[in-house]
Amino acid sequence: MKILLDIDGVLVTTPIWRTSELLVDGFLKFNERAVNNLVYIISETGASVILTTTHRIKFPLEKWYSLFERRGIVIKDISKINEKESIDSLGKRSDEIQVWVNQFGETENYVIIDDDLSINSLPELIKSRWVMTKPMIGLDKEAADKALNILQRQSK
C-alpha cells in the first residue's frame, strides 16, 4: 500500500499570512492532529509513503526518514514520485501523479492525500483514490478515515 503524500496543506497547515515555524532540523513544524492521523493510517495499513510534495527536492531520502521520525511518524519505506531535483523541473502535480499511475497504478494499492486542485483534472479512476484536504486544516479525522477506507477497500 502506498500513500502519495503532499505536505503543505496536509501536514503543514500554517496560514499563508503567518510565518511557518521551522524546527531545528530545518523543516517546517507539522500540525499535531495531522501527524496523529497519518500515524493512524500507517499503523492500520503498513503503507509506505511516496512524496509528491515540492519539498521533496530539498532533502535526500535519508533526511526525510529522520524528519518524519523526529515528528513521531515512523515510515518503513519512503520514496519520491520522481527523480527531479530542482523546482524548475517540476511539472504540475496532476501530471506527475498521472505518470506514476501509468507506471505503477495497475499493481499498487494507493491513496493520494493532497490539497492540490490540479488533481481534479485527472481521470475519475485516479480521482476516486484522492483525499482532498483543506489547506489550513490538513489531514483531519474525516480525511484519514476516507484514506483508510480507500486503502482497505482496494486490498480486499
Side-chain angles (χ1 to χ4, degrees):
M1 291 185 202
K2 308 279 186 200
I3 299 170
L4 280 70
L5 185 67
D6 183 25
I7 291 185
D8 290 334
V10 176
L11 297 173
V12 175
T13 57
T14 307
I16 58 172
W17 61 86
R18 282 200 185 136
T19 303
S20 296
E21 183 179 345
L22 282 178
L23 298 185
V24 294
D25 56 19
F27 198 71
L28 305 168
K29 181 179 179 184
F30 289 174
N31 174 308
E32 190 109 2
R33 185 187 68 250
V35 165
N36 292 337
N37 287 319
L38 183 59
V39 168
Y40 165 67
I41 295 167
I42 292 170
S43 69
E44 291 293 314
T45 64
S48 57
V49 167
I50 298 172
L51 296 171
T52 60
T53 177
T54 55
H55 291 295
R56 70 185 183 267
I57 64 173
K58 290 183 178 182
F59 304 112
L61 285 174
E62 303 78 43
K63 176 84 171 181
W64 281 108
Y65 281 100
S66 65
L67 284 169
F68 280 107
E69 194 170 312
R70 174 180 217 111
R71 290 159 177 76
I73 308 167
V74 178
I75 304 168
K76 66 177 180 176
D77 185 37
I78 303 172
S79 60
K80 298 178 183 183
I81 195 160
N82 56 39
E83 297 303 316
K84 296 186 177 176
E85 296 180 358
S86 73
I87 198 81
D88 296 334
S89 66
L90 299 180
K92 282 187 354 189
R93 181 79 44 82
S94 58
D95 293 343
E96 292 181 328
I97 291 171
Q98 180 72 65
V99 168
W100 184 89
V101 169
N102 289 346
Q103 290 180 316
F104 306 106
E106 292 285 320
T107 59
E108 291 290 347
N109 181 4
Y110 67 93
V111 65
I112 303 160
I113 305 176
D114 204 316
D115 68 330
D116 190 320
L117 296 178
S118 74
I119 296 171
N120 271 314
S121 68
L122 291 170
E124 204 53 49
L125 187 61
I126 298 171
K127 285 193 328 187
S128 70
R129 292 172 171 269
W130 176 33
V131 175
M132 184 176 70
T133 59
K134 296 176 185 107
M136 290 188 289
I137 295 173
L139 185 60
D140 61 7
K141 180 77 167 102
E142 181 181 344
D145 287 341
K146 182 177 178 185
L148 189 58
N149 184 324
I150 290 168
L151 289 171
Q152 291 176 335
R153 179 181 69 225
Q154 297 302 320
S155 67
K156 292 181 181 178

